[in-house]
Amino acid sequence: MTSASSSGAAVGHALFDLHRIGAGLVFARSLPQLAAALEDPGSAAVVQAPPGTGKTTLVPPLVAELCAAGPAGSGTPKVVVTQPRRVAARSAARRLAALHGGRPGEEVGYTVRGERLAGPRTAVEFVTPGILLRRLLADPGLEGTQAVVLDEVHERGLESDLLLGMLSEVRQLRGDLRLVAMSATVDAPRFAALLASDGDGPLPVVDCASALYPLETVWSPAPVPRLDERGVTRAFLDHVADTAAGAHTAALAAHPATDALVFVPGAREVSHVAARLRQQAEGTEILELHGQIGPAAQDRAVSGREPGGAPRIIVSTALAESSLTVPGVRLVVDAGLSREPRRDSGRGMTGLVTVSCSRASAEQRAGRAARQGPGTVVRCYEQKAFAAAPAHRTPEIAVAELSGAALTLACWGAPGGAGLALPDAPPRAAMEDAVELLRELGAVDDAGHATALGRVLAGVPAEPRLARALLEGAAVVGTRTAAEAVALVSGEQRASGADVAGLLPALRQGKDPGAKRWAEDVRRFEAIARSQTDAVGDPGGFPKGLRGKDALAFVVALAYPDRVARRVPGDGAPQYLLASGTRAGLPSGSPLAGHDWLAVAEVSRAAGRDAAGTGAVIRAAVPLPADAAEAAASHLLSDTVDARFVKGKVTARREQRLGAIVLSSTPVRPGHPEGRAAVAAALAEQGLAMIGWSPAADTLRRRMALLHRELGEPWPDVSEATLLARLDEWLGPELDALAGGAAAAGIDLAEPLRRLLPWPDASRFAELAPERLEVPSGSHVMIEYPEADDDGGRPVVAVKLQECFGWAGTPRIAGGRVPLLFHLLSPARRPLAVTDDLESFWAGPYAQVRAEMRGRYPKHPWPEDPWTAQATARTKPRG
């Protein structure tokens, strides 16, 4: 066993000199506590330490020392350390190797996509989360690895979240794997509880004090909006650049060694701000740092200033927010914006959106300025915007497209994340959509478990759809072209312009900043495609002889068949309809505007002129031949007869579609099934009012409804919902007539309703629910029944008062259950009284009615004794 001395160096195996490595680092004081927590094989701990304390530099070699001193101490231990970004993995490895006195690839190494510097002597290997995920899928036990350190888990990247759950299972199964999760925020106790083994309490949390020097905060809000419907405004970026130039000039006057770090949300904004700074800051080296530049340029940006070198301003995305210490930085200028993934399930779109960064991110950015001495952060936005920002960044699993994560989980044996201890469960709808996509690709079976093809696709460092397109496309357009297409639209290399194909010449000639990385991706994808030629079988039915842009477009369409788009006819700004049903516009001046068909690589929500009123804009696409569109999205092709009930009649058209895109539409005579379906759909939407209730049908229905309400069975329920549910039972012949082309205007629903009358009880229908009532005058007055769906309505008889003289007992219907409600009318048929008790009316209120009415209507009888008076519909006889 190994213990740690009070100075922080491990006693025992002298693989790393922790005294020398930890000199001047705050976290060195916490090493004894961490060593005690990780003393036994299979132990685990959570490290909570602010940025700049040295945890990334010190924890991995300490863990390696502990592993080397254990029972299995023979040979070189292997500790794998994840860093959320490639530049961070390389930088951390180089720093630790330099402090150790070696070079990367010896005791300390790294592996990132497309680059590996590690060998048999490597005890500490820095990797990105994606690299470790693929290793886990290939070797679920991580044989030969004694410990894993997950750094920056507070960033809540999707792959890091998956690793937390998967490695927790590996640790419980193996029993000897040491596991450390490192966080820069107060979320550490949550991770400690999450990673604890069954039956144990939360893991120990080892923390340390902040290493930051005093930090001055300056607020410098722009007089212009930061964002508009098209994204970050140019005027705001100019403000950021001007602010950075002025603040750096002032800082240099006080401290000539000051370098500056400027944070903006994306690569386009980095380029804009850097270009403006080069015009203003003469004698200053302006460096760019983002995911689309090559490794050498990234490493140059995060390295310190050369001795005697010019002052530097590094313009960066959030890539430099954590994991990295950029030497010499005493000034941070922050735009306060972040680019985060968002999923729009309604439109079937996933992409990056620009939002205000969280307060935690803003604090991390500011901390870059105070790691090596007193510093200053200039925030180019208002203090109230900072206060209104979310406390933490939204976990990627909650907002991202999940097909890649779903495939990883399926290969791991936890479909949908079932049974896996993840920091947050994936949203159900997003996961269901992702699994459905994987089923369409053939990557998972009906139970959600990975197929053989799914395991192949999981090994390709790209989205599952792009991985499938690589393998299918290689068989049609060749491995090189397929690899170029996938490298062009995958990951960080995704094109940001409207014409994807327009980027190829500069990439091939090495003139684009991302050319080197793209070429590396092409070589890797090409090798994968060659090694997996049999993975997808024979792609029969695909077009032959595709070349150039057409071949590129075909591969993009294979990856995103639901984004195959056709131009919508019409004047004005161009609109395109995607196979998914989404409409989208094109950026102003796009060279794609004249093309009928596009293979769309990226589409996102947007407003303004570019969206052309659709709410979305096509960010990246390639012109696509029509036959290639149909071939790439062949599973979306359909040939159907679309029958609709319009203006009282069924009409039909035969439609050939590519998803939501109508390829052709011709009028045809509807067949009976299509006609019946159209009528049923119209009835479901419009109800029986679509056919219309004649007065006779409406009266019949009301009478039947009253008997059902009062007497129940066998009198049928004739409510709208029930009638629609029993259409075939009572309206079958009429539905057939409508399906065959008959007009709804020719159908009276009275006769169909009579089919529902129960026999032999129907013989008493007129007695129980009479249509008219004979009153003492001899008139037959219509009974007004309540609406069929009115559960509390009363049947009403509206009759002149004089026609009811001598009628003492109120008549009843429905077998004597329901008294009629009388509306007694004046000779002018205006209401005089409402009663369902005629006897009480004659004995009381009638006297007052008589007093008021006899002078107004002297020609009509108003006897003092209504009991014995002759009922009449006429006036008094002439005297």
Side-chain angles (χ1 to χ4, degrees), residues 557-632:
L558 280 177
Y560 303 108
D562 54 322
R563 298 183 195 169
V564 167
R566 189 182 191 182
R567 183 185 172 104
V568 178
D571 298 328
Q575 284 190 16
Y576 283 81
L577 176 63
L578 279 63
S580 64
T582 293
R583 286 183 179 238
L586 278 175
S588 178
S590 169
L592 300 170
H595 294 277
D596 287 334
W597 288 89
L598 298 177
V600 177
E602 185 174 353
V603 59
S604 61
R605 294 176 61 180
R609 183 176 59 183
D610 288 350
T614 65
V617 65
I618 294 170
R619 302 291 186 191
V622 197
L624 181 67
D627 59 342
E630 294 184 23

Side-chain angles (χ1 to χ4, degrees), residues 312-365:
R312 305 189 316 156
I313 299 179
I314 302 101
V315 187
S316 176
T317 62
L319 189 146
E321 187 176 296
S322 61
S323 308
L324 294 168
T325 295
V326 184
V329 171
R330 298 286 187 90
L331 170 67
V332 166
V333 178
D334 185 12
L337 297 173
S338 179
R339 196 145 290 161
E340 299 182 6
R342 289 292 186 273
R343 174 178 175 271
D344 185 342
S345 58
R347 288 189 173 95
M349 298 183 302
T350 299
L352 297 174
V353 298
T354 304
V355 296
S356 293
C357 71
S358 68
R359 297 196 299 275
S361 292
E363 296 293 356
Q364 289 233 65
R365 295 175 183 184

